[in-house]
Amino acid sequence: MLKWDGHTHSKFCYHGNPAEQQEYLDRAIGLGFQRYSVTEHPPLPDKLVDDPKLMLELAMPERELPDYFAYMQEVKARYEGRIELAIGLEMDYLYKNESFSDRIVDKWAAKMEDAVVSVHYLPSRGGSIRCIDYTADDFKDAFLGYYGSIDKVVDEYFNHVEMEIEWAAQLPMRKRIGHVNLIRKFHKELPEMDPVLIRRRLEGLLPKLKAANIGVDVNVAGFRVATCEEAYVPEWFMQACLEQGIELVYGSDSHKPEQAGFSYDWFADRAIK
């Protein structure tokens, strides 16, 4: 199996690290990686989240997209023969704002080798959009009262994952669903989530992923989060994907160079036959 880190970030991430790309790649090469996908957060619609300070941290402004692709293409050429740098984006599924994402894809698809498609946002109180992965307190404030119970939040999250798969199916580049169980990020500080519900909803994704030829980002960043301490893909779901021929791609979700390759052995032990 190709040793591949398929979900990473860069200095263009406003909640990441200013390190140059060579620091990430040199570490990845040292760890024996053969392919390294940079999947940066693209711009978001203006005032998507009603928090100006947070909006500045979520994604690069649209004026920087040309600089991002030019920078990564230059680095890709410089590292040719040492490691394959795949240039992509972590596209958000934007409920009722799909046309915004469509426009980015239409403009940049020719330069995109990879797309990780993720759900980071859900509707909240007063019709506002809130992040599901900001802080545990923000999650409680945004969603528990609005939806009425944690399991109703979980159900709505997976409704959006299903819509995400339907939207991602039309993307022309290599694609996979990002951190499919991100809803568990703060589970240690939230009411208990029904494991039967989560398993049922995850099982329901399998035929949709298979039909759309969409892979799964086996995202290990949850191991770095004290309120989670688990991968964002359950082991049984990984096995089900393998059995059905759904591609599994390791993702460090690195936001700083030292996170490149994080917990790869955990993935390899479970995904490589």
Side-chain angles (χ1 to χ4, degrees):
M1 177 183 282
L2 182 76
K3 191 168 184 180
W4 174 16
D5 193 339
H7 185 157
T8 74
H9 294 276
S10 71
K11 69 177 185 178
F12 288 85
C13 180
Y14 276 58
H15 54 272
N17 187 279
E20 296 296 334
Q21 199 59 37
Q22 66 194 46
E23 295 187 44
Y24 292 88
L25 294 180
D26 288 349
R27 175 173 172 79
I29 290 168
L31 293 171
F33 283 87
Q34 299 158 286
R35 178 186 290 161
Y36 190 92
S37 296
V38 184
T39 52
E40 196 50 81
H41 297 288
L44 293 168
D46 187 41
K47 298 180 181 178
L48 176 73
V49 173
D50 188 20
D51 181 334
K53 182 176 181 296
L54 180 58
M55 276 296 299
L56 291 174
E57 298 174 4
L58 293 175
M60 73 178 91
E62 191 155 2
R63 66 179 181 276
E64 289 190 3
L65 261 179
D67 296 334
Y68 166 72
F69 281 104
Y71 175 80
M72 291 304 168
Q73 286 171 333
E74 186 275 325
V75 175
K76 179 183 178 75
R78 184 151 36 97
Y79 276 79
E80 186 175 1
R82 298 177 62 197
I83 192 170
E84 176 192 350
L85 176 63
I87 305 169
L89 293 171
E90 182 179 5
M91 301 298 302
D92 287 294
Y93 174 68
L94 299 173
Y95 179 62
K96 294 187 177 180
N97 274 289
E98 293 90 344
S99 61
F100 182 91
S101 297
D102 290 339
R103 181 174 60 80
I104 290 176
V105 171
D106 289 345
K107 185 171 182 178
W108 295 103
K111 297 185 183 297
M112 288 174 63
E113 298 164 271
D114 264 322
V116 171
V117 185
S118 302
V119 172
H120 291 106
Y121 308 100
L122 289 178
S124 178
R125 294 182 288 107
S128 64
I129 298 296
R130 300 278 287 272
C131 301
I132 67 168
D133 62 334
Y134 182 35
T135 67
D137 286 342
D138 190 72
F139 186 106
K140 295 171 189 175
D141 177 71
F143 304 120
L144 290 185
Y146 178 69
Y147 287 98
S149 72
I150 188 63
D151 288 333
K152 288 183 178 179
V153 182
V154 169
D155 241 353
E156 184 64 7
Y157 169 76
F158 282 108
N159 289 342
H160 282 246
V161 173
E162 291 187 353
M163 290 187 281
E164 163 194 30
I165 293 171
E166 184 177 351
W167 180 80
Q170 50 87 33
L171 297 179
M173 69 290 296
R174 185 169 54 203
K175 52 201 176 259
R176 49 201 170 274
I177 294 302
H179 37 57
V180 69
N181 222 14
L182 184 63
I183 196 68
R184 296 271 297 168
K185 180 173 182 178
F186 304 119
H187 74 94
K188 290 189 173 185
E189 292 190 12
L190 297 173
E192 185 175 0
M193 300 177 183
D194 182 358
V196 175
L197 169 63
I198 290 178
R199 186 172 187 117
R200 176 174 60 81
R201 295 306 306 260
L202 284 170
E203 286 175 340
L205 302 180
L206 293 167
K208 299 177 187 297
L209 291 167
K210 179 73 172 176
N213 193 29
I214 296 174
V216 170
D217 162 45
V218 182
N219 192 297
V220 297
F223 286 129
R224 300 194 295 262
V225 179
T227 56
C228 184
E229 295 185 330
E230 62 188 38
Y232 291 131
V233 180
E235 292 183 40
W236 70 263
F237 187 75
M238 294 171 63
Q239 183 61 39
C241 288
L242 290 171
E243 291 169 359
Q244 297 197 29
I246 297 168
E247 185 180 37
L248 298 178
V249 179
Y250 159 82
S252 67
D253 209 345
S254 55
H255 284 71
K256 54 183 70 172
E258 58 267 32
Q259 293 173 348
F262 173 79
S263 289
Y264 180 81
D265 288 346
W266 180 92
F267 166 80
D269 288 345
R270 290 154 180 80
I272 298 176
K273 297 295 185 181

